[in-house]
Every structure is written in C-alpha cells, then in structure tokens.
Amino acid sequence: MFGGVGKPAGWATILVAGGLVLGGTATANAADFGGDCCADLEERVAELEATTARKGNRKVSLQIYGWVNESVVWWDDGTESNVYVGTNTLEQTRFGFKGKAKIDGEWEAGYKIEVGLDDNGISNWSQSGYGTASSGGFKLRKSYWYLKSKKLGEVAVGLNGTASYHAVDDADATNTRNVSDFEAAGAYMGSFVANPSNLRWKDVLRGWNNATPGQSSRKNVVRYDSPTFAGFAVSAAWGEDDLWDVGVDYSGTMGQFSLTAKAGYGESTDPSATGCGGPTGDFECSWFGAGATVMHDPTGLYVYGGYGWQKDDQIASLGFDDTSTAWLIQAGIEKQWFALGKTTVFGEYRHDDAGANATSTDVDDIKTLGGDVNFWAAGVVQNIDSAAMDLYIMYRHAEGDYVNSGNSTISLDDMDMVISGARIQF
C-alpha cells in the first residue's frame, strides 16, 4: 500500500479518511452552538448588506466619493461683528457616485453623479444671518455619462462643467485650491452688505460664479476632452441655448520648476444661464480667463496668478460700462516640514474693475455703474495626509468704492474676516 504503484492510492485513502473524521467533528461542534447560530449569521449578513453600496450589475463599477468642508467664521464690517458656523461653499460639502466599464482595449464608458449640500453655506451669509440658505438643502452638481478612447479622447453628455469651468481656479496647483482660489473673495463676502444702502459686495462685483469674471460654470452640455499630448490637453463644450466655450490645459516641468496653466474662452446668448449681470431678454455675454502656477520644487516657493474678463453687450447698448475684469496674485511656500503632511503658507491680492450692474432694460433701474474693489488675504493650510484632511485658517480684508446712478463715487464699508475650518475627503 505504501510502496511502488500503490503509493498514491494509499495516500488518497488516508486523506479521504481524515477528511471524513474532521468533517464529522466539525458537524458535531457546529451542533453544539445550538439552533440560533444560523439565525444570528443571517442577521449579521443582512446588517452588512444594508450598510454596503451595491452595484446594479457586475459590468459597471461603482465608487462613492466626496468630502465634508465646514468652517467657523468671524466677521466685522466696522459696525457689527459676529461668528457663524456652516458649510464652506467655496468647495461645498458633497458626495458623488462614479463608475466605468471597459468596452475593449481602446474604449471605456462611464458616468458621474455629484450632489452638493448647502447647509447654511458661506456664500449665503450676511449681517442678518444665514440668508436664503436652506438647512440641509441638496443641489445636483453633475450628472453625465461619457465614452472615452485612449487615442481620441472623451465625449460627455449631461450636467457637467463646461470647457472654461474653473479656468482660473484649477490653475492653482497648491493646497490653497480648495481654500483660497480665484473665486474665494466673492464666495466668502458676496452676500454681506457693503454699505448702508443695503448694496451687497456681489452687487458691485460681476461674474458667473461667486461674482468673479472669466470662467464658466456647470451646465447641461456636450463636452469633449482630448488626450494629453506633451503636457497639453484641449476641451470644448456646447449647450444651454446657446452656450459654447473652449479651453486648454498644460502641466509639466522645466528644470527645477513645475508649471500648471489653464485658459478658457466662451460666449452665451442665454440670459438665464450666463449670470453675466445683464437684464433679461436677448443679449450676448462673452468671457475669458487664464491662470498659472509656477513652483520651485526644491524650496516649495510658488506664485499663482490669474486674470478674468467678461463683457455684456446689452449693458453696452444702455450706455453703461459693459466690461468687468479681475486679477489675482498669490505667493507662498508649500513644503512638508512635519510628518503630518505638507504645509502651505500664502498671501494674496485681488483687484476688480467691475462694470455696471443693470437689472432691467430700464436705464433708471441699476444697482451700480461700476466698481473698484481690492481684496487682501493671508493664511495657512495644513494637510494631514493619513486622514485625507486639510486644516485651514486665513484672514481676509475687502475695501473699495462704486459709482451710483447719480454718477457719484461712494465708498464701501471695509470688511474683515477670519475663516477657519477643515475639509476631510472620503
């Protein structure tokens, strides 16, 4: 049995016998647990299923992502001061679902659905409180499907950022991108009253998103993104009766320097979609924005800057200033001095030459004939890499003046803020 040709058969016999003994022992032991074991196991499985994201099929992946971004803000307008707590809507708390499926070696299909939470968001705050924010309100940010080719690029259809969306914001390649980008001044201070006549900062400033000219927003569009070639990628979008825009991105290195740059241009004839600040009715709005970050890699010293331009032809037809511009320069250092993660120390200046804000075709119905506004800011962002978290604190200041309907220059009340908070990703 243990030798020659019979050896394999002998070992098989021993293994089978051992298996029967172990199986019998296991059965006996299982019986010792009593009749509730299966019920307990089924209950536990049901609990796990209830807390687990489940895909509709085995072909398309599902990934849940997002972040929570909440802040504590002290503000002072020279007459009143207060402290508010709520969502930092510069990069609001959000959650999303995305996934993809491989069609073949060249093509893939995918989707994205993203929802933002506007629970007492900063962009709605004013001296009177939390403004028009709806506690716990949801806002659909993105909902689109796409087809992507490695060689030809990607086409997406649905609610999405247009080609010039964040054309200046996303040129910020540092950790200030989600704390103090090109739109930060308008997002943080926009709804606060800037003078005794109840004029808000965003009534003086102009622009699509957060009262900042030069970049578009999220719209229902067909969007194309090219593959990246030598660090460059181009994009184009059309939709929303009629809106079109184009964009170009670059990312690369030059010796000891890293460079990130973006630019976009667009036009729209849809008054309800532009947010250009013109009256209702048919008119054309056009915009251009560009930005770049240059960082010296060995030291972490960097400069980020951007420029935005916007023109509204109907305001021009009324005889008012139809052009608004803004530019920003931010400088700082981003380096890992602690085991926690990178630390970013920065200071910035933004200047706006705002055009007229006419709310109807009636020449007497205007909020401003123009504005000249300056913003200063400085702060620190500390990344905690192991927790996917950014802690931040910054000081912000605003000052300026505007031209009223009587063509007189009126000073705005200075505004000061200290903003602290954290963004944790998942």
Side-chain angles (χ1 to χ4, degrees):
M1 179 177 176
F2 291 101
V5 177
K7 184 175 181 180
W11 280 110
T13 302
I14 293 173
L15 290 174
V16 169
L20 291 173
V21 172
L22 290 174
T25 303
T27 303
N29 288 340
D32 293 339
F33 284 108
D36 293 335
C37 72
C38 294
D40 292 342
L41 180 60
E42 290 175 355
E43 181 179 356
R44 182 56 181 155
V45 169
E47 290 177 356
L48 291 173
E49 288 180 343
T51 57
T52 302
R54 302 174 67 183
K55 327 189 267 192
N57 57 63
R58 296 172 182 251
K59 298 177 181 178
V60 183
S61 65
L62 168 64
Q63 178 183 345
I64 300 174
Y65 70 94
W67 60 67
V68 176
N69 189 1
E70 302 292 321
S71 298
V72 179
V73 179
W74 170 87
W75 58 265
D76 186 344
D77 65 1
T79 301
E80 181 185 357
S81 65
N82 209 332
V83 177
Y84 292 164
V85 180
T87 299
N88 187 334
T89 43
L90 179 68
E91 289 296 328
Q92 69 187 134
T93 298
R94 67 192 63 179
F95 63 89
F97 309 91
K98 62 182 179 180
K100 59 184 179 180
K102 186 176 180 180
I103 297 175
D104 56 30
E106 172 66 19
W107 290 88
E108 74 175 36
Y111 65 91
K112 177 180 282 190
I113 301 171
E114 185 175 284
V115 178
L117 279 72
D118 193 14
D119 184 10
N120 293 332
I122 286 179
S123 59
N124 296 302
W125 294 355
S126 68
Q127 286 88 338
S128 60
Y130 290 124
T132 58
S134 56
S135 181
F138 292 91
K139 181 178 181 179
L140 183 62
R141 293 174 52 86
K142 295 182 179 181
S143 177
Y144 65 85
W145 58 263
Y146 70 83
L147 286 172
K148 183 176 181 180
S149 162
K150 294 179 181 179
K151 297 178 181 178
L152 301 177
E154 175 182 305
V155 174
V157 178
L159 180 60
N160 195 2
T162 71
S164 60
Y165 178 54
H166 288 162
V168 186
D169 293 338
D170 286 345
D172 183 355
T174 75
N175 226 16
T176 64
R177 167 61 184 87
N178 297 296
V179 173
S180 187
D181 58 21
F182 192 47
E183 295 183 6
Y188 292 139
M189 298 179 172
S191 292
F192 280 88
V193 174
N195 75 346
S197 300
N198 290 324
L199 192 73
R200 300 168 299 176
W201 288 98
K202 65 182 179 182
D203 293 330
V204 179
L205 304 173
R206 303 284 80 231
W208 276 55
N209 277 358
N210 292 315
T212 303
Q215 45 193 13
S216 179
S217 60
R218 298 178 302 275
K219 300 295 175 185
N220 289 298
V221 295
V222 178
R223 172 170 170 157
Y224 168 75
D225 289 271
S226 76
T228 300
F229 178 75
F232 287 93
V234 297
S235 56
W238 171 87
E240 295 275 339
D241 186 35
D242 280 315
L243 175 152
W244 66 268
D245 62 356
V246 293
V248 59
D249 301 47
Y250 174 78
S251 181
T253 58
M254 300 178 182
Q256 294 184 324
F257 293 89
S258 295
L259 173 63
T260 300
K262 288 179 67 72
Y265 174 83
E267 296 183 358
S268 175
T269 57
D270 186 350
S272 62
T274 59
C276 282
T280 57
D282 293 331
F283 70 95
E284 182 176 299
C285 180
S286 53
W287 61 93
F288 168 79
T293 299
V294 179
M295 176 177 286
H296 184 239
D297 296 326
T299 63
L301 292 169
Y302 76 89
V303 175
Y304 158 60
Y307 172 81
W309 168 91
Q310 176 182 289
K311 185 176 181 180
D312 180 341
D313 70 350
Q314 191 173 59
I315 288 181
S317 70
L318 298 175
F320 302 142
D321 184 359
D322 66 342
T323 302
S324 299
T325 62
W327 60 270
L328 174 141
I329 186 75
Q330 181 186 105
I333 183 170
E334 184 170 273
K335 201 169 182 64
Q336 185 162 346
W337 288 300
F338 312 104
L340 287 173
K342 290 183 178 180
T343 304
T344 310
V345 182
F346 71 95
E348 70 178 39
Y349 171 74
R350 168 175 154 172
H351 176 75
D352 284 63
D353 284 314
N357 183 356
T359 56
S360 78
T361 55
D362 183 353
V363 296
D364 294 322
D365 187 9
I366 63 171
K367 292 189 175 182
T368 66
L369 289 175
D372 190 324
V373 185
N374 300 306
F375 300 96
W376 301 86
V380 179
V381 185
Q382 177 61 56
N383 174 252
I384 303 178
D385 186 61
S386 60
M389 173 181 273
D390 292 314
L391 302 174
Y392 54 85
I393 184 168
M394 76 189 94
Y395 164 76
R396 307 194 70 87
H397 175 81
E399 60 185 32
D401 53 53
Y402 72 99
V403 180
N404 67 11
S405 57
N407 215 31
S408 297
T409 300
I410 309 296
S411 293
L412 298 165
D413 296 334
D414 289 4
M415 185 81 183
D416 295 287
M417 280 185 167
V418 175
I419 302 168
S420 61
R423 182 179 75 110
I424 184 169
Q425 303 177 68
F426 59 85

